[in-house]
């Protein structure tokens, strides 16, 4: 039996050997068909960039308008708010009551009732204007000032110094209502200011939770 490779070519191919299957040839892709786009790459071969969403336009921010502070009241319209020491409060109250006593003796015929009425606002001013460190001196000052200012108003009885002294004692006895009333008013104002001062100091020293 002859080998197919050594068989001469003039006898032709052997019919008893099956033909070998031929490999399928790859047909070339037509040049006109476009390539399918791949994920992440552009059709031309470059890297495709994902489109970013457009940022919304920001509204222009308005600057807050600073609040206008009310203009301070002129100094002429402010009420006087002095702070008197204990000695200064005593001098103020005593001098004012002495001047008022002289005016009452000249203008109202030494009317002790008018003098007692004028004593009340002086007590209020003394208790309001004394400083916080000398608050307790106000109720002590006003009775002394009342006695000082009562000297020109007291009836002397034409007996010299003795008569003037007796008139002063009589005036203090008859006008005790005005004396006690003015002292009570000064004491109440002093207690109110003292309580407010203590409350303010307590609020400052209390820890904020």
């Amino acid at each position: 039996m002859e080998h197919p490779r050594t068989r001469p070519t003039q006898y032709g191919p052997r019919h008893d050997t099956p033909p070998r299957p031929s490999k399928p040839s790859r047909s070339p892709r037509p040049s006109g068909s476009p390539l399918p786009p791949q994920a992440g790459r552009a059709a031309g071969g470059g890297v495709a960039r994902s489109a970013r969403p457009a940022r919304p336009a920001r509204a222009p921010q308005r600057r807050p308008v600073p609040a206008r502070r009310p203009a301070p009241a002129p100094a002429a319209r402010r009420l006087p708010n002095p702070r008197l020491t204990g000695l200064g409060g005593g001098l103020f109250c005593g001098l004012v009551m002495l001047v008022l006593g002289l005016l009452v003796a000249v203008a109202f015929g030494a009317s002790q009732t008018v003098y007692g009425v004028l004593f009340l606002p002086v007590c209020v001013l003394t208790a309001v204007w004394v400083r916080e460190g000398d608050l307790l001196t106000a109720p002590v000052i006003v009775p002394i000032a009342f006695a000082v200012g009562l000297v020109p108003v007291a009836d002397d009885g034409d007996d010299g110094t003795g008569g003037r002294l007796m008139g002063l004692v009589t005036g203090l006895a008859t006008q005790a209502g005005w004396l006690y009333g003015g002292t009570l008013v000064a004491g109440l104002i002093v207690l109110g200011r003292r309580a407010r001062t203590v409350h303010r100091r307590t609020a400052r020293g209390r820890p904020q939770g």
Side-chain angles (χ1 to χ4, degrees):
M1 185 175 180
E2 296 180 1
H3 198 272
R5 294 183 180 179
T6 61
R7 185 185 179 88
T9 59
Q10 63 269 13
Y11 295 100
R14 292 176 61 91
H15 297 281
D16 53 354
T17 53
R20 295 182 180 179
S22 61
K23 295 183 180 180
S25 61
R26 296 182 180 178
S27 60
R29 186 180 298 274
S31 59
S33 60
L35 294 173
Q38 298 179 358
R41 294 183 178 273
V47 179
R49 297 182 180 179
S50 58
R52 297 182 180 178
R55 297 182 180 178
R58 296 183 179 178
Q61 298 180 357
R62 297 182 179 179
R63 296 182 180 178
V65 181
R68 296 182 179 180
R69 297 182 179 179
R77 296 182 181 180
R78 294 181 180 178
L79 295 176
N81 191 23
R83 285 292 176 261
L84 302 175
T85 61
L87 179 60
L91 293 176
F92 165 77
C93 191
L95 290 177
V96 171
M97 291 309 301
L98 181 59
V99 172
L100 290 178
L102 293 174
L103 292 178
V104 170
V106 174
F108 296 97
S111 176
Q112 297 182 0
T113 303
V114 177
Y115 175 78
V117 172
L118 295 176
F119 173 65
L120 297 180
V122 177
C123 293
V124 173
L125 292 178
T126 304
V128 170
W129 287 351
V130 72
R131 67 182 184 179
E132 295 181 356
D134 297 326
L135 285 176
L136 298 180
T137 60
V140 181
I141 291 171
V142 290
I144 299 174
F146 183 86
V148 171
L150 191 60
V151 173
V153 185
D155 188 9
D156 54 358
D158 297 333
D159 292 336
T161 305
R164 180 70 66 178
L165 183 60
M166 289 300 299
L168 177 61
V169 174
T170 304
L172 290 174
T174 56
Q175 304 300 321
W178 298 109
L179 175 62
Y180 293 151
T183 305
L184 180 61
V185 169
L188 292 177
I189 295 175
V190 166
L191 289 178
R193 290 186 57 190
R194 182 65 179 176
R196 186 179 61 180
T197 302
V198 173
H199 177 72
R200 190 188 308 116
R201 291 178 181 177
T202 305
R204 289 179 180 177
R206 184 181 306 170
Q208 297 180 359

